[in-house]
Amino acid sequence: MKLVSFQHGGSCHYGAVKGTKVVDLGSRLGSLYPTIVDFIARDGLPIAKSVVENEAGDFEYDDLALLPVVPNPSRIICVGLNYHDHISEANRQLNRTDKGFDRPMIFARWPESLTAHRQPIFRPKVSTQLDYEAELLAVIGKDTGRYVPADKALDYVFGYSCLNEACLRDYQKHSRQINPGKNFEKTGATGPWIVTANEIKDPENLDIEMRLNGKTMQKANTKDMIHSVAQVIEYVTEWMPLRAGDLIASGTMGGVGFARDPQVFMKPGDVAEIIIEGIGTLRNVIEDERI
């Protein structure tokens, strides 16, 4: 099933994509699952499948004002330096142990930094160094507790989406803490929907690509990640439990704009696309922020 969040009648709705239409699950199941996070946490899929089978659809997907796939997640856990070619182009190193590469590099984004498929990614007035990052996004489906082993970790994943984890490189480098550059408003695009985990045979073997104005800038396969989604969940739950609706951004591959010669940064009018096998295409146009 493909699930979307969208704005309608001044409120946030969620629904299932059926062909070119969307079945409004929030309107039908709101007494049981008021939000998409409630739907995810309380296993609304079995009821939703029955509803979707018997409904033609309420809205045309192309007409909807989409929201981030999870509009207000409690946590957005991001992995940095998770592909070898990105480590090389960034002139960084990972520590090695006798077991190979040690722990993933973790940082956080805030919900306000997210935007949606077909919505603009904003370039702020204080910087022109808006860079792209193609990533696989995992949506946690139920509370994990602590110490989840990697071989059980994907049981806690509800589904997957595309992420353009766009960032402001100069603000990222103001200090050793990269969070400022990663948290400008409406820079992290998610979409075009959540594909439920049962439809993704192997999240660690998906082709992923970033195109800017139709030109391929990044291309890899998720099997190239140093730390898999399962390993990231194992590591994070050593120090905190994850909750239903939490997001995990799994890191980007080589080809980012700041490492190119000459450098390439996104500017107003540019079209950014993230394409992931089995999920779809996330598309955003770059605009100057509306302040």
Side-chain angles (χ1 to χ4, degrees), residues 95-107:
N95 294 328
R96 279 186 178 272
T97 68
D98 57 357
K99 296 180 180 179
F101 288 101
D102 200 6
R103 302 291 190 261
M105 172 190 169
I106 300 293
F107 61 94

Side-chain angles (χ1 to χ4, degrees), residues 144-149 232-242:
T144 63
R146 297 275 301 284
Y147 302 109
V148 175
V232 172
I233 292 171
E234 179 180 58
Y235 173 64
V236 170
T237 58
E238 289 177 4
W239 42 275
M240 76 170 187
L242 293 167

Side-chain angles (χ1 to χ4, degrees), residues 135-176:
E135 304 191 19
L136 175 69
L137 185 72
V139 181
I140 298 298
K142 53 187 175 181
D143 295 356
T144 63
R146 297 275 301 284
Y147 302 109
V148 175
D151 61 357
K152 302 292 185 182
L154 294 186
D155 294 343
Y156 291 89
V157 176
F158 175 80
Y160 301 91
S161 189
C162 304
L163 172 68
N164 188 344
E165 210 252 309
C167 53
L168 281 301
R169 293 298 184 189
D170 46 353
Y171 274 76
Q172 185 178 327
K173 296 177 181 179
H174 282 175
S175 72
R176 292 186 179 183

Side-chain angles (χ1 to χ4, degrees), residues 6 37 59 74 133 142 145 189 193 207 211 231 240 242 276:
F6 58 97
V37 173
F59 308 104
S74 60
E133 291 191 358
K142 53 187 175 181
W193 39 55
D207 290 333
R211 296 176 187 167
Q231 290 168 333
M240 76 170 187
L242 293 167
I276 302 181

Side-chain angles (χ1 to χ4, degrees), residues 14-238:
Y14 65 92
V17 179
K18 184 176 183 179
T20 64
K21 294 185 175 292
V22 172
V23 177
D24 188 345
L25 295 175
S27 294
R28 291 174 171 81
L29 305 177
S31 60
L32 294 173
Y33 317 111
T35 70
I36 193 169
V37 173
D38 295 314
F39 177 88
I40 290 169
R42 301 175 193 169
D43 193 22
L45 277 177
I47 295 176
K49 288 177 181 177
S50 177
V51 171
V52 172
E53 286 175 2
N54 293 288
E55 297 291 341
D58 301 290
F59 308 104
E60 287 289 340
Y61 173 77
D62 287 343
D63 294 338
L64 290 176
L66 297 175
L67 296 169
V69 291
V70 178
N72 194 26
S74 60
R75 274 87 61 96
I76 308 166
I77 306 297
C78 303
V79 185
L81 303 177
N82 205 21
Y83 288 77
H84 290 287
D85 57 355
H86 183 50
I87 293 172
S88 296
E89 70 180 1
N91 196 28
R92 298 285 296 274
Q93 291 183 337
L94 287 182
N95 294 328
R96 279 186 178 272
T97 68
D98 57 357
K99 296 180 180 179
F101 288 101
D102 200 6
R103 302 291 190 261
M105 172 190 169
I106 300 293
F107 61 94
R109 289 189 78 119
W110 320 140
E112 293 81 2
S113 73
L114 297 183
T115 189
H117 176 55
R118 301 199 306 248
Q119 300 298 323
I121 289 175
F122 287 150
R123 188 182 73 170
K125 63 182 180 180
V126 294
S127 175
T128 59
Q129 294 188 18
L130 178 64
D131 209 345
Y132 50 83
E133 291 191 358
E135 304 191 19
L136 175 69
L137 185 72
V139 181
I140 298 298
K142 53 187 175 181
D143 295 356
T144 63
R146 297 275 301 284
Y147 302 109
V148 175
D151 61 357
K152 302 292 185 182
L154 294 186
D155 294 343
Y156 291 89
V157 176
F158 175 80
Y160 301 91
S161 189
C162 304
L163 172 68
N164 188 344
E165 210 252 309
C167 53
L168 281 301
R169 293 298 184 189
D170 46 353
Y171 274 76
Q172 185 178 327
K173 296 177 181 179
H174 282 175
S175 72
R176 292 186 179 183
Q177 301 299 322
I178 67 173
N179 276 337
K182 295 289 190 175
N183 276 286
F184 275 79
E185 189 174 9
K186 297 188 182 302
T187 51
T190 67
W193 39 55
I194 300 171
V195 176
T196 51
N198 63 301
E199 293 194 15
I200 302 296
K201 183 178 179 180
D202 183 3
E204 300 306 330
N205 188 18
L206 301 174
D207 290 333
I208 178 169
E209 181 178 358
M210 191 282 161
R211 296 176 187 167
L212 186 62
N213 300 322
K215 179 181 178 181
T216 297
M217 309 298 284
Q218 294 177 287
K219 193 169 186 177
N221 187 286
T222 56
K223 67 184 178 184
D224 300 325
M225 290 194 296
I226 297 168
H227 304 281
S228 68
V229 170
Q231 290 168 333
V232 172
I233 292 171
E234 179 180 58
Y235 173 64
V236 170
T237 58
E238 289 177 4

